[in-house]
Amino acid sequence: MTILNASATVDTVARFVRCAEAADSDGRSACSPARRGSAGFTLIELLIATTLLAVLALLAWRGLDSVLTSRQRIVAASDELRSMTLAFAQLDDDLRKTWSVRLLRLPTPAINFTVSGEQPAASLLLLRESGRTAEPTQVQQVAWRLRNGVLERGFGAWSVPTVDGVMGQPAARNSAPADAPGRAAGGLDAPAADGLVWQPILGRVASMQMQGWIAGQGWVAAESLVGQLTVSQPAAPTVQPGEPQSAPPTAPQAAAAPGTGNPAGSVQVTGLQVRIVRDDGQVLQRILPVKD
């Protein structure tokens, strides 16, 4: 046992001697714990760390790209919803402002339809009240049409037709209504041959169908109502020769039909159903009242 202990002691001394001979210039031994712990990372550890960082960077980039794409879609959908809301709000405002005009018993129906050769769908023609609150009431002509996939609104002055068919003085100024709820983005076109200034309201429209509500008939297609809407004018009192002219009647000669507000014998639209089909297949349908 004494021989083994002496051998171990000799080995320990020899190891310390070798460590002392390999000491650094600053006096630290190469066999010290601090020297053995400063070896650094291996190549495998560096490759694993680099791979993890690359995976994290890829996941972060895909997440950021998804957020940006979702934001663009939300903004586009919000703009589309805003355009559709403004379009129906403007059409609803135009229809409600025709109610007071029809009470004037003008020779032209306040709501009418027409078909042109450019578009197979019927266009909507309106006579609406215009002007500010403090100004006298004016009559303005408004038209809605579908042209080249764009729903357009035209507005302009309305002239009272005379007996010989010649248009008289304008009954409204050629300007946009000050009380309009809003308009979609887009510039105004120059006045066309019909005297209206056309404004784009809603794009990407594949088709538009309209139906008018006729008392006693129900919903009738707009194409079937072209040229069928009439306005009954009060009949002039007849005066026999030699008789004194009677005083003006206190009540209108053309009585209103019960529950309709229209003169008896007239065919007028009291409600409008609009169905718009977008180019992506989305269908928008709304029923708009006429009475304010």
Side-chain angles (χ1 to χ4, degrees):
M1 180 67 66
T2 304
I3 298 174
L4 293 176
N5 292 335
S7 177
T9 302
V10 172
D11 293 339
T12 302
V13 172
R15 186 168 60 253
F16 277 106
V17 170
R18 290 194 298 268
C19 289
E21 293 177 353
D24 295 337
S25 60
D26 56 356
R28 291 189 303 171
S29 173
C31 298
S32 61
R35 180 68 177 179
R36 291 194 302 267
S38 61
F41 296 101
T42 62
L43 181 60
I44 300 299
E45 293 173 343
L46 292 177
L47 291 177
I48 294 175
T50 304
T51 304
L52 292 178
L53 291 177
V55 171
L56 292 177
L58 179 61
L59 293 178
W61 177 81
R62 294 187 61 180
L64 181 60
D65 182 69
S66 176
V67 171
L68 295 178
T69 304
S70 301
R71 179 180 178 276
Q72 293 176 357
R73 293 178 180 177
I74 292 175
V75 171
S78 177
D79 292 341
E80 289 290 329
L81 180 60
R82 179 177 179 273
S83 299
M84 292 183 292
T85 302
L86 292 180
F88 282 113
Q90 181 66 77
L91 181 57
D92 180 67
D93 183 74
D94 290 340
L95 289 173
R96 291 181 182 274
K97 293 300 178 64
T98 62
W99 182 257
S100 57
V101 174
R102 74 173 58 200
L103 299 179
L104 299 177
R105 303 290 191 266
L106 298 178
T108 303
I111 301 178
N112 203 355
F113 300 97
T114 181
V115 176
S116 61
E118 299 180 358
Q119 297 292 337
S123 300
L124 178 64
L125 302 179
L126 305 174
L127 295 181
R128 59 158 287 168
E129 176 188 357
S130 180
R132 301 179 184 274
T133 306
E135 297 179 354
T137 302
Q138 300 174 350
V139 179
Q140 186 182 49
Q141 182 180 2
V142 177
W144 289 79
R145 70 180 182 184
L146 178 61
R147 182 172 178 266
N148 298 329
V150 179
L151 181 61
E152 297 179 340
R153 177 182 182 269
F155 57 92
W158 181 76
S159 300
V160 181
T162 58
V163 178
D164 54 358
V166 180
M167 304 302 289
Q169 296 295 328
R173 291 179 294 184
N174 191 359
S175 61
D179 53 355
R183 298 184 178 86
L188 302 179
D189 297 337
D194 51 8
L196 300 180
V197 179
W198 291 97
Q199 175 188 21
I201 298 296
L202 184 63
R204 298 171 52 196
V205 178
S207 63
M208 180 180 66
Q209 300 175 359
M210 293 182 292
Q211 293 181 341
W213 178 266
I214 306 298
Q217 302 182 24
W219 293 109
V220 182
E223 290 76 12
S224 302
L225 294 176
V226 176
Q228 303 298 322
L229 302 178
T230 59
V231 179
S232 296
Q233 297 296 324
T238 57
V239 179
Q240 299 295 334
E243 294 182 358
Q245 186 174 359
S246 59
T250 58
Q253 298 292 336
T260 62
N262 298 329
S266 65
V267 180
Q268 297 189 19
V269 176
T270 57
L272 184 66
Q273 180 177 349
V274 182
R275 186 174 186 269
I276 297 178
V277 181
R278 306 297 299 276
D279 55 2
D280 56 357
Q282 183 181 8
V283 179
L284 308 173
Q285 185 170 347
R286 186 174 178 183
I287 298 178
L288 303 173
V290 174
K291 185 176 181 180
D292 195 358

